Amino acid sequence: MSLSFPRHHRARTAALLALVLLAPTACADDERDAAAPGAIKVGLLASLSGTYQAVGKEMRDGFELYLSTHDGKLGGHQVELVVADEGNGAATAVPAATKLLKQDRVVALTGIVGGGSVAAVYPLLNETKVPFVGANGRPALKDVSRVWHTSYLSDEPGEAIASYVHDNVDGSVYAIGPDYQGGWDELRGFTEAFVKAGGRLANPDGKTTFTPFPATTNFTPYFARIKASGATAVYTFYAGSAAVDFVKQYAQSEIKDLPLYAAGFLTEGGVLDAQGPAARDIYSVLNYSPDLDNAENRAFVAAWKAKKDGSPTTYAMASYDAAAVLDRAVADAGDDPTPERINAAIGRLGQIASPRGTWQFSPTTHAPVQKWYLRQVRPDGRALSNTVVGDLATVGG
């Protein structure tokens, strides 16, 4: 014999049974949510348009590569990466940074291609008290309490290669570069160290020749000046599309037989492919090359090539390292990684294992103390590559 209950009793019993069955699952979900650290927002500002578009995209891709190989997390926290376009400089960088810092309320900012953009965004960092882990060159700043860089100070590449150029060039050297903050810093680093080492500049006034930026695309008139100066070699800094124009025109000019030395950005990444044979034999200085033989670099290059064509650049590497820095700092900042806690944690990191080799932040400049490498554009199979041919100075401090 079966028991029969009124319909309203049956409905109430079913509802209670559903609550009982669901309760353990809901509690388990609540426990998992409570145990899992909250998501955080990180801002990435880079040139995704303009002269340095290729550089900015490499920086974005390097940071995203680190996230993709670490389950989208930094320090155990799921990351929402908010990307903004720096454009060609301060005029577009400042409003983009303002949105990231004040509207999106990111806990840390990374990226930034141009030194002028860094200088312009700098007051916003102090106002919002958000740490900046930059991934490209920057000028010297008075207060670096919230400013860190995984790349270099903009005068360091030239400083690192100056003695080598002095020792290997018999005669004077002509210095030329773009007329903006990054160009001023890059060329100052070389010229000051070169003259200090006993070198002589071929420039008629003893000062670097600066070309209007970003307007200059025809360098032929400047090559005529170099020819007239009697220089026996040239030192330069250009990057992005300007580097392609400079190198291609140099190879067709009346000074094509003069040895060309440069900050490594002249032949870095996709610009080397665009330059083709015109770039052959150029010597450059940089803090990274994809052929460096260490465990971190082998893993980095393999992960990059699994997703991208070609080899990673110093821009991608520095941005990858910026993510690694934030990963350790966010973990050290605890369950509530506020901007202030993250900033304090960065200062405690010590040595950092990197594809470029081990480095650490300078306590005074917050830029890397790192080794620099001499590279030459040489054939690598059917392609050209920036091949490391020697070690240069360790710079930073």
Side-chain angles (χ1 to χ4, degrees):
M1 183 178 65
S2 62
L3 296 175
S4 177
F5 296 97
R7 182 177 300 173
H8 66 279
H9 284 176
R10 290 199 302 271
R12 185 182 305 158
T13 301
L16 290 170
L17 179 60
L19 286 173
V20 170
L21 291 173
L22 286 172
T25 303
C27 289
D29 287 343
D30 289 343
E31 288 171 2
R32 281 197 297 269
D33 290 343
I40 58 173
K41 286 184 179 181
V42 173
L44 188 150
L45 179 61
S47 297
L48 303 178
S49 62
T51 303
Y52 293 147
Q53 180 181 37
V55 176
K57 287 184 175 180
E58 290 271 332
M59 291 165 65
R60 178 198 63 194
D61 292 350
F63 200 96
E64 289 180 343
L65 179 66
Y66 188 93
L67 288 177
S68 71
T69 55
H70 290 77
D71 299 322
K73 296 179 180 179
L74 295 177
H77 293 258
Q78 200 70 37
V79 171
E80 179 185 344
L81 185 64
V82 187
V83 179
D85 185 10
E86 172 189 348
N88 253 342
T92 45
V94 170
T98 301
K99 178 182 180 297
L100 290 172
L101 294 167
K102 295 186 175 182
Q103 183 175 325
D104 297 312
R105 301 180 66 82
V106 298
V107 298
L109 181 67
T110 188
I112 305 190
V113 173
S117 297
V118 174
V121 169
Y122 169 67
L124 287 170
L125 302 173
N126 287 331
E127 179 185 344
T128 58
K129 295 181 169 50
V130 172
F132 171 52
V133 184
N136 204 38
R138 71 161 167 86
L141 299 171
K142 288 183 178 180
D143 177 12
V144 293
S145 56
R146 291 185 183 85
V147 177
W148 309 84
H149 267 72
T150 61
S151 47
Y152 49 86
L153 295 182
S154 296
D155 58 356
E156 291 178 343
E159 178 185 348
I161 197 176
S163 291
Y164 178 87
V165 175
H166 170 262
D167 294 344
N168 288 272
V169 171
D170 184 15
S172 59
V173 175
Y174 197 99
I176 184 171
D179 191 10
Y180 75 108
Q181 183 72 58
W184 306 335
D185 295 338
E186 293 281 352
L187 271 298
R188 186 187 67 252
F190 172 77
T191 55
E192 289 185 356
F194 180 68
V195 171
K196 185 177 180 180
R200 183 173 65 86
L201 293 177
N203 305 63
D205 57 359
K207 298 179 181 179
T208 299
T209 297
F210 288 108
T211 60
F213 175 85
T216 304
T217 57
N218 178 18
F219 293 94
T220 303
Y222 298 99
F223 297 149
R225 294 189 202 177
I226 296 173
K227 177 72 172 178
S229 75
T232 55
V234 175
Y235 182 83
T236 192
F237 156 77
Y238 287 100
S241 58
V244 177
D245 293 335
F246 185 90
V247 168
K248 282 191 168 185
Q249 293 169 32
Y250 192 98
Q252 297 294 320
S253 74
E254 55 188 335
I255 61 168
K256 63 182 179 182
D257 294 328
L258 294 186
L260 180 56
Y261 298 87
F265 323 106
L266 186 73
T267 58
E268 182 70 350
V271 297
L272 180 58
D273 296 332
Q275 291 159 350
R280 186 165 179 165
D281 296 331
I282 293 175
Y283 283 100
S284 68
V285 52
L286 207 57
N287 60 348
Y288 174 71
S289 177
D291 62 357
L292 293 176
D293 188 16
N294 62 65
E296 288 77 17
N297 192 44
R298 288 191 293 272
F300 172 58
V301 171
W304 180 270
K305 289 187 172 181
K307 293 179 173 289
K308 304 285 182 181
D309 293 330
S311 298
T313 62
T314 188
Y315 316 118
M317 179 278 298
S319 198
Y320 183 90
D321 271 10
V325 164
L326 286 171
D327 192 7
R328 289 177 56 185
V330 170
D332 190 43
D335 293 337
D336 183 20
T338 64
E340 292 281 16
R341 289 178 179 176
I342 293 171
N343 190 63
I346 295 173
R348 298 190 294 264
L349 289 183
Q351 290 194 330
I352 297 161
S354 164
R356 80 190 82 176
T358 301
W359 64 275
Q360 63 186 37
F361 286 114
S362 160
T364 54
T365 67
H366 288 183
V369 179
Q370 63 187 333
K371 181 185 290 184
W372 290 82
Y373 303 95
L374 178 68
R375 315 182 311 170
Q376 187 181 31
V377 178
R378 295 180 174 180
D380 181 12
R382 295 183 178 180
L384 291 172
S385 69
N386 291 290
T387 302
V388 173
V389 294
D391 293 349
L392 295 170
T394 294
V395 176

